[in-house]
């Protein structure tokens, strides 16, 4: 081995041409592939895990929100049964479920998913719904249910001892806070663009919006009642109201001709009726009470001349202010406001109070002609709007009967007779149908009343953007409208020139017997005194469209006909007079165009003897190409 040359070792890994280097290159490529697969697999596991995590959270949110929804009827039942403790427990459970839904939708991974393009809007929308449910249950339902336990329905209605409004006044701040919380939640949901959402998210969201709007409206009304009811019911000082009884047997736009009149004194919830008279006895106003030019053009100067015609206009604030001026001018008595009620509303009251016996000697004598001596929710409408004319021939005696019946019913109310909760429900139903209308002579109070249908306004915050109106004014000068049946329907026409069109369709039928001219009293038929054949009915049909729209065309029984176009408070108005012989039906179509409001339309009608739900038919929507 001596002398053998030893070759130093060579680092073959440094040679790009060495076999070792090529072998390493292959291992590097495979290593990177393996690494990539491992990384992708790991990422897939993370994604799958994240998706699974999100799915589990979504299921949790869905479960919790469904639980809240299922508890709503339970809470309603607890409240209706006056079970304060059960209602509180149900409300607490609702809040717990809603809070859990909110927490599940605020998970960091959920929040990250909500920021992703495309699908993120859906996660964000669900989060907002969960947040809304939590806010509504925590800030509105729970405190309101707690206050519910301190409220007694019997304390809030008139009685011989008066009413106790302290609990309602104490609850007013909570009600107002709850109303604001729901309003803010509703506003947040309305700001979500459903066009970017999956149907599985968009559909429940729309339902949530609808429900929240209903709750919002109810809470705002409750907040207003809690603020206005005590002073208007005389908690601070006695109030005097002019009480008008609208007689639906002779149609006027807001219900019926003002027949019997009285003043209603209210002090701490105690009621007393006095100064009863009739519109006829009040006489003619000379000079007439001034009314605005628009309404005078539509309804004539009779608006300011006769108490019987103050409500030819459907705008009750106008009619009430005019009535106040007329009353004060004729009697010298100042009134704080005006309240209107019709016999159908009285039937709702009697359903709560139970039967009211007639005890006044003068009424008993008149009832001996064949009228009932006990008034109920079932017989009062027919008695006041039909039988009284068949049994009592003299108008003056009829007025005495009307006034006496009103006194008997209000005496029962002031005595606290009947079910308090049922009474409130009956009056609420009557006001929703336009059968009870209220106007306050105090501007601050009237500005609040004007936000609700109770005001009977045709303009302002109580009117929806796409609201139509169908009102009826008698042209017979008689009491034949008891025999007229009507239906009102909106027909959405195909758009023209980019604008929507809607037709107000009114079908009227005279159901009086063929021999009405002789079988019905002349006081009911009018006896042809105003140029209308006895037994026939003449009606001025007045249709209102939405603000800024136009009244375009009119048809009578499908044929074009002339009509009178007007405007009232920037709303288009069309008027058509029709006459119906016994058994005859006629249909009036008044079409409004250039409608810019793209909300769902609704229609308000004159309250008649019929149930309002039988008068207003479902809207017709055509197939447009």
């Amino acid at each position: 081995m001596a002398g053998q040359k030893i070759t130093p070792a060579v680092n073959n890994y440094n040679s790009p041409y060495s076999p070792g280097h090529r072998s390493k290159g292959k291992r590097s490529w495979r290593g990177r592939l393996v690494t990539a697969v491992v990384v992708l697999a790991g990422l897939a596991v993370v994604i799958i895990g994240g998706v699974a995590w999100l799915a589990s959270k979504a299921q949790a949110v869905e479960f919790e929100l469904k639980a809240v929804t299922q508890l709503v009827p339970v809470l309603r039942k607890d409240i209706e049964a006056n079970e304060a403790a059960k209602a509180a427990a149900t409300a607490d459970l609702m809040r717990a479920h809603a809070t859990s839904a909110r927490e599940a939708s605020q998970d960091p991974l959920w929040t990250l998913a909500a920021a992703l393009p495309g699908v993120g809007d859906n996660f964000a929308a669900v989060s907002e719904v969960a947040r809304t449910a939590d806010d509504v249950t925590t800030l509105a339902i729970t405190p309101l249910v707690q206050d519910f336990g301190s409220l007694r329905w019997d304390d809030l209605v008139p009685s011989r001892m008066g009413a106790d409004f302290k609990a309602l006044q104490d609850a007013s701040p909570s009600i107002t806070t709850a109303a604001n919380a729901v309003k803010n939640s509703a506003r947040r949901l309305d700001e979500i663009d459903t066009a970017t959402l999956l149907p599985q998210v968009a559909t429940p969201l729309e339902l949530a919006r609808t429900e929240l709007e209903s709750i919002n409206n109810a809470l705002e009304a409750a907040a207003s009642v809690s603020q206005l009811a005590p002073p208007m019911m005389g908690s601070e000082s006695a109030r005097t109201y002019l009480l008008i009884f609208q007689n639906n047997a002779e149609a006027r736009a807001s219900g019926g001709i003002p027949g019997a009149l009285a003043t209603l004194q209210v002090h701490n919830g105690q009621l007393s009726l006095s100064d009863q008279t009739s519109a006829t006895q009040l006489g003619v106003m000379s000079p007439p009470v001034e009314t605005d030019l628009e309404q005078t053009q539509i309804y004539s100067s009779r608006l300011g001349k006769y108490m019987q015609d103050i409500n030819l206009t459907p705008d009750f604030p106008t009619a009430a202010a005019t009535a106040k001026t007329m009353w004060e001018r004729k009697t010298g008595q100042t009134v704080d406001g005006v309240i209107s009620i019709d016999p159908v509303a009285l039937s709702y009251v009697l359903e709560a109070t139970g039967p009211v016996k007639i005890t006044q000697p003068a009424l008993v004598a008149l009832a001996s002609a064949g009228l009932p001596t006990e008034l109920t929710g079932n017989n009062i409408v027919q008695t006041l709007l039909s039988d009284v004319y068949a049994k009592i021939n003299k108008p003056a005696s009829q007025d005495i009967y009307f006034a006496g019946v009103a006194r008997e019913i209000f005496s029962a109310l002031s005595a606290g007779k009947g079910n308090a909760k049922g009474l409130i429900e009956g009056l609420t139903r009557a006001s929703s149908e336009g059968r009870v209308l209220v106007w306050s002579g105090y501007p601050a109070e009237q500005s609040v009343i004007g936000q609700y249908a109770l005001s009977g306004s045709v303009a302002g915050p109580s009117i929806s953007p796409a609201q139509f109106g169908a009102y009826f004014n008698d042209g017979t000068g008689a009491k034949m409208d008891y025999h007229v049946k009507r239906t009102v329907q909106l027909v959405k026409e195909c758009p023209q020139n980019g604008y929507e069109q809607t037709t107000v369709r009114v079908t009227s039928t005279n159901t009086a017997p063929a021999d009405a001219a002789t079988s019905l009293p002349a006081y009911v038929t009018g006896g042809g005194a105003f140029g209308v054949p006895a037994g026939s009915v003449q009606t001025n049909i007045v249709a209102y469209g939405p603000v800024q729209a136009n009244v375009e065309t009119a048809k009578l029984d499908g044929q074009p006909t002339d009509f009178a176009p007007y405007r009232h408070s920037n709303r288009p108005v069309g008027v058509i007079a029709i006459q119906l012989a016994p058994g005859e039906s006629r249909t009036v179509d008044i079409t409004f165009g250039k409608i810019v409001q793209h909300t769902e339309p609704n229609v308000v009608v004159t309250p008649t003897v019929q149930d309002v739900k039988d008068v207003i038919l479902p809207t017709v929507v055509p197939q447009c190409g």
Side-chain angles (χ1 to χ4, degrees):
M1 299 296 292
Q4 183 177 355
K5 183 178 180 181
I6 300 176
T7 305
V10 177
N11 186 352
N12 291 324
Y13 294 109
N14 291 330
S15 170
Y17 303 105
S18 67
H21 183 85
R22 288 195 297 271
S23 176
K24 175 59 181 175
K26 289 178 182 179
R27 285 196 299 272
S28 177
W29 177 80
R30 291 170 182 162
R32 289 191 183 106
L33 179 59
V34 170
T35 302
V37 169
V38 170
V39 169
L40 288 174
L43 183 59
V45 169
V46 171
I47 293 174
I48 292 171
V51 170
W53 180 257
L54 288 173
S56 69
K57 288 296 180 181
Q59 288 178 343
V61 172
E62 181 183 21
F63 172 82
E64 300 294 354
L65 291 180
K66 278 186 176 180
V68 173
T69 303
Q70 291 167 353
L71 286 170
V72 170
V74 178
L75 179 63
R76 185 181 293 115
K77 183 178 179 181
D78 293 340
I79 292 175
E80 290 175 351
N82 204 27
E83 297 281 359
K86 288 185 178 179
T90 303
D92 287 342
L93 191 56
M94 290 175 68
R95 182 180 59 180
H97 283 296
T99 300
S100 295
R102 182 173 189 167
E103 290 173 349
S105 69
Q106 290 179 336
D107 178 84
L109 193 57
W110 188 290
T111 304
L112 179 62
L116 295 175
V119 296
D121 290 344
N122 295 278
F123 288 97
V126 172
S127 294
E128 193 57 65
V129 171
R131 174 190 176 190
T132 296
D134 190 30
D135 284 350
V136 170
T137 55
T138 302
L139 303 177
I141 293 178
T142 299
L144 285 178
V145 169
Q146 290 173 349
D147 286 331
F148 164 72
S150 64
L151 291 175
R152 284 171 40 86
W153 294 112
D154 291 338
D155 291 340
L156 303 178
V157 297
S159 69
R160 284 195 177 93
M161 302 301 294
D164 184 359
F165 298 109
K166 185 179 185 306
L168 181 62
Q169 290 170 315
D170 290 344
S172 182
S174 295
I175 298 173
T176 302
T177 300
N180 289 334
V182 172
K183 181 189 293 185
N184 291 335
S185 296
R187 186 181 297 117
R188 291 198 307 267
L189 289 191
D190 286 341
E191 291 173 353
I192 298 174
D193 183 9
T194 57
T196 63
L197 303 181
L198 295 170
Q200 299 93 319
V201 176
T203 300
L205 175 59
E206 292 292 353
L207 292 175
R209 283 175 171 173
T210 301
E211 286 297 321
L212 210 57
E213 181 182 5
S214 176
I215 295 172
N216 183 42
N217 293 339
L219 278 178
E220 286 191 339
S224 297
V225 168
S226 69
Q227 295 165 11
L228 290 186
M232 292 190 70
M233 290 292 287
S235 66
E236 299 172 0
S237 60
R239 292 284 185 99
T240 300
Y241 298 98
L242 175 62
L243 188 61
I244 296 176
F245 296 92
Q246 295 200 49
N247 187 329
N248 312 91
E250 186 172 349
R252 290 292 185 271
S254 65
I257 187 172
L261 307 172
T263 53
L264 177 67
Q265 281 78 36
V266 186
H267 189 211
N268 285 327
Q270 291 179 307
L271 306 180
S272 61
L273 214 58
S274 62
D275 300 313
Q276 291 177 281
T277 183
S278 68
T280 302
Q281 290 175 324
L282 211 59
V284 182
M285 297 296 127
S286 183
V289 176
E290 186 176 348
T291 54
D292 71 81
L293 182 59
E294 280 187 332
Q295 295 182 79
T296 301
Q297 288 177 336
I298 303 172
Y299 304 106
S300 83
S301 61
R302 298 179 67 87
L303 279 178
K305 285 184 179 179
Y306 306 98
M307 180 69 81
Q308 300 95 311
D309 294 326
I310 57 168
N311 57 340
L312 287 171
T313 173
D315 188 59
F316 187 70
T318 297
T322 304
K324 171 181 164 69
T325 301
M326 288 182 173
W327 182 265
E328 293 177 348
R329 184 187 293 182
K330 285 289 186 176
T331 67
Q333 180 187 29
T334 300
V335 294
D336 297 296
V338 179
I339 300 172
S340 169
I341 193 168
D342 72 3
V344 179
L346 290 178
S347 75
Y348 300 160
V349 171
L350 287 175
E351 287 175 3
T353 64
V356 171
K357 290 185 178 180
I358 290 176
T359 58
Q360 299 173 46
L363 284 187
V364 173
L366 290 171
S368 65
L371 295 173
T373 57
E374 187 176 76
L375 297 171
T376 69
N378 293 326
N379 68 15
I380 188 171
V381 174
Q382 180 175 329
T383 298
L384 294 184
L385 299 183
S386 179
D387 293 349
V388 69
Y389 302 118
K391 308 297 183 181
I392 302 175
N393 295 325
K394 296 180 180 179
S397 296
Q398 294 166 358
D399 290 339
I400 291 173
Y401 186 81
F402 287 135
V405 166
R407 185 182 292 274
E408 294 280 18
I409 293 175
F410 274 83
S411 293
L413 279 177
S414 62
K417 182 180 180 181
N419 178 274
K421 184 170 176 290
L423 178 61
I424 292 174
E425 289 175 347
L427 290 175
T428 301
R429 176 185 176 187
S431 63
S432 71
E433 296 175 357
R435 302 186 186 281
V436 173
L437 301 170
V438 176
W439 177 82
S440 174
Y442 296 89
E445 292 178 353
Q446 181 56 29
S447 66
V448 177
I449 295 171
Q451 299 175 28
Y452 304 99
L454 182 72
S455 69
S457 303
V458 300
S462 67
I463 306 302
S464 63
Q467 181 164 299
F468 293 81
Y471 307 107
F472 318 121
N473 280 316
D474 174 68
T476 316
K479 300 294 186 288
M480 286 295 294
D481 279 298
Y482 179 80
H483 300 280
V484 179
K485 299 294 181 273
R486 300 181 174 92
T487 60
V488 177
Q489 187 171 42
L490 295 182
V491 180
K492 295 184 73 172
E493 310 288 353
C494 294
Q496 288 192 0
N497 301 320
Y499 290 101
E500 295 183 4
Q501 288 192 113
T502 299
T503 295
V504 177
R505 175 168 294 163
V506 180
T507 300
S508 307
T509 303
N510 182 356
T511 67
D515 62 349
T518 56
S519 63
L520 295 179
Y523 187 77
V524 173
T525 66
F530 291 90
V532 180
S536 293
V537 183
Q538 182 160 307
T539 305
N540 291 315
I541 295 177
V542 185
Y544 275 60
V547 169
Q548 298 179 344
N550 289 335
V551 56
E552 303 281 357
T553 60
K555 292 180 180 180
L556 180 58
D557 297 329
Q559 300 300 315
T561 187
D562 292 333
F563 67 97
Y566 301 98
R567 295 199 80 81
H568 179 194
S569 293
N570 203 24
R571 296 181 65 182
V573 181
V575 182
I576 295 178
I578 64 169
Q579 193 173 114
L580 300 171
E584 186 178 14
S585 292
R586 308 205 76 176
T587 297
V588 167
D589 286 342
I590 299 179
T591 300
F592 296 89
K594 294 190 176 178
I595 299 172
V596 296
Q597 292 83 5
H598 297 289
T599 55
E600 197 63 29
N602 70 301
V603 62
V604 174
V605 301
T606 294
T608 65
V609 179
Q610 297 168 262
D611 194 319
V612 172
K613 67 179 177 60
D614 295 329
V615 176
I616 301 177
L617 301 180
T619 300
V620 175
V621 180
Q623 296 293 326
C624 301

